Amino acid sequence: MNRAIRTDLAVEAEQLWWESAPDTSALPGVRAEESAVRGFSVTTVEILDARGEAALNKPVGKYITVELDSLVRREENTFGDAAAVLAETLRRLILLDSTANYLVVGLGNREITPDAVGPAAVDHILITRHLKQKLPEAFAAFRPVSAVCSGVLGTTGIESSDLVRAVTDEVHPVCVIVIDALASRSLERLCRTVQIADTGIVPGSGVGNARQALNRETLGVPVIAIGVPTVVDAATLTLDLAARTGTQLDAGGFGEIGSMIVTPRDIDKSVRDVAKLIGYSLNLALHDGLSIEDIDLLLS
Amino acid sequence: MNRAIRTDLAVEAEQLWWESAPDTSALPGVRAEESAVRGFSVTTVEILDARGEAALNKPVGKYITVELDSLVRREENTFGDAAAVLAETLRRLILLDSTANYLVVGLGNREITPDAVGPAAVDHILITRHLKQKLPEAFAAFRPVSAVCSGVLGTTGIESSDLVRAVTDEVHPVCVIVIDALASRSLERLCRTVQIADTGIVPGSGVGNARQALNRETLGVPVIAIGVPTVVDAATLTLDLAARTGTQLDAGGFGEIGSMIVTPRDIDKSVRDVAKLIGYSLNLALHDGLSIEDIDLLLS
Amino acid sequence: MNRAIRTDLAVEAEQLWWESAPDTSALPGVRAEESAVRGFSVTTVEILDARGEAALNKPVGKYITVELDSLVRREENTFGDAAAVLAETLRRLILLDSTANYLVVGLGNREITPDAVGPAAVDHILITRHLKQKLPEAFAAFRPVSAVCSGVLGTTGIESSDLVRAVTDEVHPVCVIVIDALASRSLERLCRTVQIADTGIVPGSGVGNARQALNRETLGVPVIAIGVPTVVDAATLTLDLAARTGTQLDAGGFGEIGSMIVTPRDIDKSVRDVAKLIGYSLNLALHDGLSIEDIDLLLS
Amino acid sequence: MNRAIRTDLAVEAEQLWWESAPDTSALPGVRAEESAVRGFSVTTVEILDARGEAALNKPVGKYITVELDSLVRREENTFGDAAAVLAETLRRLILLDSTANYLVVGLGNREITPDAVGPAAVDHILITRHLKQKLPEAFAAFRPVSAVCSGVLGTTGIESSDLVRAVTDEVHPVCVIVIDALASRSLERLCRTVQIADTGIVPGSGVGNARQALNRETLGVPVIAIGVPTVVDAATLTLDLAARTGTQLDAGGFGEIGSMIVTPRDIDKSVRDVAKLIGYSLNLALHDGLSIEDIDLLLS
């Protein structure tokens, strides 16, 4: 696998592995399957053991990817369908218990558009923990949900992982759900793919760097990660092109490229739209019997 | 004292006490003094004991009020002078230690203009804790400062006090500095007065309601509170008017008034300006030898 | 009529007139009637001639006021009902012609919350003029609509009326629809009342000051004005209170009050909500056969 | 010249021409010269006639490019130096007359970060036209300046060129100054280069498409264009890479690339910074004897 090509998506890591080993017939320690749900393509990549971890450079666990292509085509009612598919996928991974307490975390920097998916999604989460405490009967139909945006190291001086652990220890949720922007290898996935994983998130990717991970080891409870690719590293795009065309790159000519990203021209709107979709999906997953219209009303 | 007239300012509580007891010659348990510093009026109200607490309905401690009137008149260089006076006042209350670690907290709701002073001030704080950890020599001249915005119960589901205590336990500062919007009794103080107190903050004001306080008892370290009045309750304005004019109010006619506030017409800009002033003052107070221009450069 | 009590609402000006002339049996030159439409109270004040103009200090024309009280109570489906009532009211005043061209203008300062209703409403307008020009068949079902925000004198250096006239002369609409924030006399109307008038707007109110008016005389086409009260002048509130209680005011004590306003505590959200309602209503009025869901989809 | 490689910068068009004609010794109809001013590299490309127009695909006129590299390195006082160099450059092209009236136009969509340079720069312009009209003596030292943001076709339904012409006809400036985001060929120029031209702007670039141009022909007065490259088309980056490496591209594999852009990772902050620089430079150019500190004070 070409590790210089950066991707946070397990489905792409698997594809890269096959590209790098074209003559191999099996990828040991990894199980992948694809299906179609309500017209959306859903891919599950399961990393089973250390062999899979080594091959895909991601920890053992389930990574489910939903492709939102039809959302982009603005077909009628697609928002509701996409939210339903994501909610069903989330319910496959989140342990739902009627008395349990859930903490949603928006990672990333709200002031940097391609990094704002997490905080923007949190704006669409129904916050119910305090209401259930004060009016348990009126809110009997809801599970208690709280949410925070962790900010970023540069604006808080505190590692996101430390801040989230402190809040987790305070709130005692049965499960933490983190939402973050990802990097992808392919342009066509930008703001159109959602990855849901039961492994938590290891910022900076890779199996190492455990200290800053947001996962069961560091937070003490299961961590579900919802991620959306919003950028392709310009370096990745270049390397990918070079690899496909068999070109030898002259690194000197692309010195600036390290700090560059490739995004959709309408990234501001795309991030806003996908953040809303994630917020609504999570509301549908965490509470029983809600409709999109109910959420509209409750958030208004 | 007319407790229906709401104020978060000790200097106004003292004034109300005198108004309610015009024939008294002493306010036991309270010491007040006024001075002028660089042309700014600075008033210190010190509540010394339980008698003072009962009289002013605020906990024992020092409340220093700086009047920013000349700032409003846009005199040249006033920003720098006001920041210097506030920084000096902060240094009278904050224990400065070269190895200590400071946590700044912006209270309030960023989305509601008159409540946004705290979060807006945090945007102007130099965040140095992580830099000192990674590059101790390059940042030797700075004290380690971290900052969070606690959000509000309605958008997080978590009491601000719980969230700040969790972060305090994680970061272990020697002192927490909280910044919040206040209610005042008088229109002429709106966005023009800064109160700095060494008592922390008891949201909802008053000595009771200890659970949600942000003070040495709940956080375990000294808590300095910086507050700016941004609203007068419409009810307070009405009551105040009635009291001054000797009118008997017909409560029925003002049923709507409870949810109304009085603010300056240019509240958006006023909040932005005073938040910047507080952020800069705190930077000057927490680090040695900085100038306004240095902060401009470091925050840019 | 007490002209020191400021209101931009004809329905309040009429009420003030009756209060100032309690023994009179008729208000000549004015016709007023109230009705209920879909549960909303709708009041039409028609100023018929110069006597009515003099009495209410507003130009001849129709002023229809819709009370949105039930919207505030968050009843289900109220948004759709309120939008339908406003759309029907607009259709009573706007000449609809299948080939005509409409210009919507958001007046006011987007950066000052209580003044932002106009620009915020424009964000919800379906812009179709250019689409009809380029794809006339695909957009056959829509009327051509364009929109501008005029900004304010302080940020453009150009009178709103001059700027709107220049754009009107360029676009040649059959009708200009201006949206603006108003001042009201009564707290309970804030962000809950919409006034629709066929007289245009005379900024600063009153019949005089013709140069800066946005009306048929200055723009050459009919001007429909949609206004929402978002503030009560603090001075008006005080005077009103004094008048009701028979108090003689000591002006000296309220010197600061001139630059103060009274608004709902949640003004940011209230303005956002009513601006969306106005935008949707106008879309329903200007195009045939649209639903709220269609607009959601087209604006997304 | 490879016309598939998109650039709005004359200096890059010239470079591309030489790359495409490596054996030629002269570029007829074009004069180019480079100099250093206060440590900044300043390049003037002058297109003299139809031969130059054809070679560079830009209209006859002067294009001055200032490189801001040192700004990026955060050297002390660089902001002031850069603003001074840009102001001097602007004064080479703008006819300054003490009684004349200037109109500044921010082009582009404020909601799309890389397109927001124009509107964001207008936020830093001193607006003086109305002040000079009302208080001619107090503002004797200033030239009358007004400003508008034209919005974009999708949000107004009106071509920017039509809207600006309507305002120009209303305000009668001696000169219109338009500020816009550009596309560049090279990553290292993004948000670091400012091009100032006396030719106005032809949106969509190229000599044709005259109807929507903002220039002396369409507006009737000289048009100075200030542009900053904020994006590289992803397609341009790819083509450029392919050209440099002699690769034959398989178009099929890059179908998505047309709607993608390459920007700096910190584009939000970069746009904000360069917009402020342009606003300040223009203030220095249009008024005599101002300092950066004066502008700080006047805009606060």
Side-chain angles (χ1 to χ4, degrees), chain C residues 192-254:
Chain C
R192 298 192 192 174
T193 291
V194 179
Q195 172 177 279
I196 301 172
D198 63 3
T199 58
I201 276 185
V202 188
S205 81
V207 179
N209 194 13
R211 190 178 68 81
Q212 288 165 26
L214 292 159
N215 57 26
R216 188 194 282 262
E217 283 68 49
T218 57
L219 300 187
V221 293
V223 179
I224 305 300
I226 306 177
V228 181
T230 58
V231 299
V232 173
D233 278 1
T236 293
L237 183 70
T238 308
L239 289 167
D240 211 1
L241 169 67
R244 293 194 200 192
T245 56
T247 311
Q248 203 62 33
L249 283 182
D250 166 21
F254 288 85

Side-chain angles (χ1 to χ4, degrees), chain A residues 111-113 187-188 190 233 238 241 244-245 247 249 253-254 256-257 259-265 268, chain D residues 111-113 187-188 190 233 238 241 244-245 247 249 253-254 256-265 268:
Chain A
E111 301 302 312
I112 294 182
T113 309
L187 298 171
E188 68 265 30
L190 294 183
D233 277 2
T238 309
L241 169 66
R244 293 193 200 191
T245 56
T247 311
L249 283 183
F254 289 85
E256 299 291 334
I257 217 163
S259 62
M260 296 288 156
I261 53 172
V262 188
T263 76
R265 202 171 282 279
D268 299 74
Chain D
E111 301 301 311
I112 294 182
T113 309
L187 298 171
E188 68 265 28
L190 294 184
D233 279 0
T238 309
L241 169 68
R244 293 193 200 191
T245 56
T247 311
L249 282 182
F254 288 85
E256 300 290 335
I257 217 165
S259 63
M260 296 289 156
I261 52 173
V262 188
T263 76
R265 204 171 281 280
D268 299 74

Side-chain angles (χ1 to χ4, degrees), chain A residues 114-168:
Chain A
D115 202 29
V117 167
V122 164
D123 291 343
H124 298 283
I125 297 294
L126 296 173
I127 305 300
T128 53
R129 179 174 176 266
H130 61 305
L131 300 171
K132 280 199 76 94
Q133 285 176 346
K134 291 183 185 163
L135 303 164
E137 286 176 32
F139 288 86
F142 294 85
R143 292 192 177 82
V145 175
S146 51
V148 290
C149 293
S150 63
V152 291
L153 190 57
T155 60
T156 64
I158 307 169
E159 290 283 356
S160 292
S161 50
D162 293 339
L163 202 136
V164 174
R165 195 182 55 248
V167 177
T168 300

Side-chain angles (χ1 to χ4, degrees), chain A:
Chain A
M1 179 180 152
N2 184 342
R3 281 163 199 263
I5 292 187
R6 183 175 167 214
T7 177
D8 295 324
L9 296 173
V11 72
E12 290 189 346
E14 195 223 1
Q15 185 189 11
L16 280 166
W17 188 90
W18 287 106
E19 287 176 17
S20 70
D23 304 327
T24 321
S25 63
L27 166 43
V30 175
R31 185 160 51 205
E33 64 175 34
E34 226 184 303
S35 63
V37 184
R38 298 179 187 230
F40 294 88
S41 165
V42 177
T43 308
T44 305
V45 172
E46 197 166 355
I47 298 183
L48 303 164
D49 56 28
R51 293 170 305 166
E53 285 195 337
L56 304 194
N57 198 30
K58 309 214 168 294
V60 160
K62 263 192 193 150
Y63 302 82
I64 311 179
T65 305
V66 179
E67 306 290 339
L68 303 172
D69 294 11
S70 61
L71 192 68
V72 176
R73 281 181 246 119
R74 298 271 168 86
E75 288 161 21
E76 264 198 58
N77 211 18
T78 312
F79 182 85
D81 283 345
V85 172
L86 288 174
E88 288 159 16
T89 307
L90 284 161
R91 286 193 159 216
R92 286 167 56 192
L93 300 184
I94 300 175
L95 179 77
L96 287 173
D97 179 328
S98 60
T99 62
N101 171 7
Y102 298 84
L103 174 63
V104 179
V105 177
L107 296 173
N109 189 340
R110 192 188 281 278
E111 301 302 312
I112 294 182
T113 309
D115 202 29
V117 167
V122 164
D123 291 343
H124 298 283
I125 297 294
L126 296 173
I127 305 300
T128 53
R129 179 174 176 266
H130 61 305
L131 300 171
K132 280 199 76 94
Q133 285 176 346
K134 291 183 185 163
L135 303 164
E137 286 176 32
F139 288 86
F142 294 85
R143 292 192 177 82
V145 175
S146 51
V148 290
C149 293
S150 63
V152 291
L153 190 57
T155 60
T156 64
I158 307 169
E159 290 283 356
S160 292
S161 50
D162 293 339
L163 202 136
V164 174
R165 195 182 55 248
V167 177
T168 300
D169 290 350
E170 173 68 36
V171 174
H172 295 299
V174 296
C175 171
V176 172
I177 298 141
V178 298
I179 309 169
D180 200 8
L182 304 178
S184 161
R185 166 204 189 178
S186 66
L187 298 171
E188 68 265 30
R189 289 191 192 277
L190 294 183
C191 301
R192 299 192 192 175
T193 291
V194 179
Q195 173 176 280
I196 301 171
D198 62 4
T199 58
I201 276 186
V202 188
S205 83
V207 178
N209 193 13
R211 192 180 64 85
Q212 289 165 24
L214 293 158
N215 58 25
R216 186 193 285 261
E217 283 68 48
T218 58
L219 300 187
V221 293
V223 180
I224 305 299
I226 306 176
V228 181
T230 58
V231 298
V232 173
D233 277 2
T236 293
L237 182 70
T238 309
L239 288 166
D240 211 1
L241 169 66
R244 293 193 200 191
T245 56
T247 311
Q248 203 64 32
L249 283 183
D250 167 19
F254 289 85
E256 299 291 334
I257 217 163
S259 62
M260 296 288 156
I261 53 172
V262 188
T263 76
R265 202 171 282 279
D266 60 350
I267 178 73
D268 299 74
K269 174 164 173 31
S270 297
V271 164
R272 224 157 41 221
D273 288 352
V274 81
K276 181 176 176 185
L277 179 67
I278 289 173
Y280 273 59
S281 306
L282 204 37
N283 292 328
L284 294 176
L286 291 176
H287 308 289
D288 303 329
L290 278 185
S291 69
I292 298 286
E293 289 71 30
D294 294 336
I295 302 174
D296 280 341
L297 198 68
L298 290 163
L299 286 176
S300 77

Side-chain angles (χ1 to χ4, degrees), chain C:
Chain C
M1 180 179 152
N2 184 342
R3 280 164 199 263
I5 293 187
R6 183 176 167 213
T7 178
D8 295 325
L9 295 174
V11 72
E12 289 189 346
E14 195 222 1
Q15 186 189 8
L16 280 167
W17 189 89
W18 288 105
E19 287 176 17
S20 69
D23 304 326
T24 322
S25 63
L27 166 43
V30 175
R31 185 158 52 205
E33 66 176 33
E34 224 184 305
S35 62
V37 184
R38 297 179 187 231
F40 293 89
S41 164
V42 177
T43 308
T44 305
V45 172
E46 197 167 355
I47 298 182
L48 302 165
D49 55 30
R51 292 170 306 166
E53 285 194 337
L56 304 194
N57 199 28
K58 306 213 171 296
V60 160
K62 262 192 195 150
Y63 302 82
I64 310 179
T65 305
V66 179
E67 306 290 339
L68 302 172
D69 293 12
S70 61
L71 191 68
V72 176
R73 282 180 245 118
R74 295 273 168 84
E75 288 161 19
E76 263 197 60
N77 210 18
T78 312
F79 181 84
D81 283 345
V85 172
L86 287 175
E88 288 158 17
T89 306
L90 285 161
R91 286 195 159 214
R92 285 167 57 192
L93 300 185
I94 300 175
L95 179 78
L96 286 173
D97 178 329
S98 59
T99 60
N101 173 7
Y102 298 85
L103 174 63
V104 179
V105 177
L107 296 173
N109 189 339
R110 190 188 284 276
E111 300 301 312
I112 294 182
T113 310
D115 201 29
V117 167
V122 163
D123 291 344
H124 297 283
I125 298 294
L126 296 173
I127 305 299
T128 52
R129 178 174 176 264
H130 61 304
L131 299 171
K132 280 200 75 96
Q133 285 176 346
K134 290 183 186 163
L135 303 163
E137 285 176 32
F139 287 86
F142 294 85
R143 292 192 177 82
V145 175
S146 51
V148 291
C149 293
S150 63
V152 290
L153 189 57
T155 61
T156 63
I158 307 170
E159 291 283 355
S160 293
S161 49
D162 292 339
L163 203 138
V164 175
R165 194 181 54 247
V167 177
T168 301
D169 290 350
E170 172 69 35
V171 174
H172 293 301
V174 296
C175 171
V176 172
I177 297 141
V178 299
I179 309 170
D180 200 7
L182 304 178
S184 160
R185 166 205 189 178
S186 66
L187 298 171
E188 67 265 30
R189 289 191 193 278
L190 295 184
C191 302
R192 298 192 192 174
T193 291
V194 179
Q195 172 177 279
I196 301 172
D198 63 3
T199 58
I201 276 185
V202 188
S205 81
V207 179
N209 194 13
R211 190 178 68 81
Q212 288 165 26
L214 292 159
N215 57 26
R216 188 194 282 262
E217 283 68 49
T218 57
L219 300 187
V221 293
V223 179
I224 305 300
I226 306 177
V228 181
T230 58
V231 299
V232 173
D233 278 1
T236 293
L237 183 70
T238 308
L239 289 167
D240 211 1
L241 169 67
R244 293 194 200 192
T245 56
T247 311
Q248 203 62 33
L249 283 182
D250 166 21
F254 288 85
E256 298 292 333
I257 217 165
S259 62
M260 296 288 157
I261 52 172
V262 188
T263 76
R265 206 170 278 282
D266 60 350
I267 178 74
D268 300 75
K269 174 164 171 31
S270 296
V271 163
R272 222 156 44 222
D273 288 352
V274 80
K276 182 176 174 184
L277 179 67
I278 290 174
Y280 274 58
S281 305
L282 204 36
N283 292 328
L284 294 176
L286 291 176
H287 308 290
D288 304 328
L290 279 186
S291 69
I292 299 287
E293 290 70 32
D294 294 337
I295 302 174
D296 280 341
L297 199 68
L298 289 163
L299 285 177
S300 76

Side-chain angles (χ1 to χ4, degrees), chain D:
Chain D
M1 178 180 153
N2 185 343
R3 280 164 198 263
I5 293 187
R6 183 177 166 212
T7 178
D8 296 325
L9 296 173
V11 72
E12 290 189 346
E14 194 223 1
Q15 183 189 13
L16 280 166
W17 190 89
W18 288 106
E19 286 176 18
S20 70
D23 305 328
T24 322
S25 63
L27 166 43
V30 175
R31 183 159 52 205
E33 66 176 33
E34 226 182 304
S35 61
V37 184
R38 297 178 188 233
F40 294 89
S41 163
V42 177
T43 308
T44 304
V45 172
E46 196 167 354
I47 299 183
L48 303 165
D49 55 30
R51 292 170 306 166
E53 285 194 337
L56 303 194
N57 199 30
K58 308 217 169 291
V60 159
K62 262 193 194 150
Y63 302 81
I64 310 180
T65 304
V66 179
E67 306 291 339
L68 303 172
D69 292 12
S70 61
L71 190 67
V72 176
R73 283 181 245 119
R74 296 271 167 87
E75 289 161 20
E76 264 196 58
N77 209 17
T78 313
F79 181 85
D81 283 345
V85 172
L86 287 173
E88 289 158 17
T89 307
L90 284 161
R91 286 194 159 214
R92 286 167 55 191
L93 300 184
I94 300 175
L95 178 77
L96 286 173
D97 179 330
S98 60
T99 62
N101 171 8
Y102 298 84
L103 174 64
V104 178
V105 177
L107 296 172
N109 188 341
R110 189 187 284 276
E111 301 301 311
I112 294 182
T113 309
D115 201 28
V117 167
V122 163
D123 291 343
H124 298 283
I125 298 293
L126 296 173
I127 305 299
T128 52
R129 178 176 176 264
H130 60 305
L131 299 171
K132 279 199 76 95
Q133 285 176 345
K134 291 181 186 165
L135 303 163
E137 286 176 31
F139 288 86
F142 293 86
R143 291 193 177 83
V145 175
S146 52
V148 291
C149 293
S150 64
V152 291
L153 190 57
T155 60
T156 63
I158 307 170
E159 292 282 356
S160 293
S161 50
D162 293 340
L163 204 136
V164 175
R165 196 182 52 248
V167 177
T168 302
D169 291 350
E170 173 68 35
V171 175
H172 295 300
V174 296
C175 170
V176 172
I177 298 141
V178 300
I179 309 170
D180 200 7
L182 304 178
S184 160
R185 168 204 188 178
S186 67
L187 298 171
E188 68 265 28
R189 289 192 193 276
L190 294 184
C191 301
R192 297 192 193 175
T193 292
V194 178
Q195 172 177 279
I196 301 172
D198 62 4
T199 58
I201 276 186
V202 188
S205 82
V207 178
N209 193 16
R211 190 179 67 82
Q212 288 165 26
L214 292 158
N215 58 24
R216 186 193 282 262
E217 283 68 49
T218 59
L219 300 187
V221 293
V223 179
I224 304 300
I226 306 177
V228 181
T230 59
V231 298
V232 173
D233 279 0
T236 292
L237 182 70
T238 309
L239 289 167
D240 210 1
L241 169 68
R244 293 193 200 191
T245 56
T247 311
Q248 202 64 31
L249 282 182
D250 167 19
F254 288 85
E256 300 290 335
I257 217 165
S259 63
M260 296 289 156
I261 52 173
V262 188
T263 76
R265 204 171 281 280
D266 60 351
I267 178 74
D268 299 74
K269 175 165 171 31
S270 297
V271 163
R272 224 156 42 222
D273 289 351
V274 80
K276 182 176 174 184
L277 179 66
I278 290 174
Y280 273 59
S281 306
L282 205 36
N283 292 328
L284 294 177
L286 291 176
H287 307 291
D288 303 329
L290 280 185
S291 70
I292 299 286
E293 290 69 32
D294 294 336
I295 302 175
D296 280 341
L297 198 69
L298 290 164
L299 286 176
S300 77

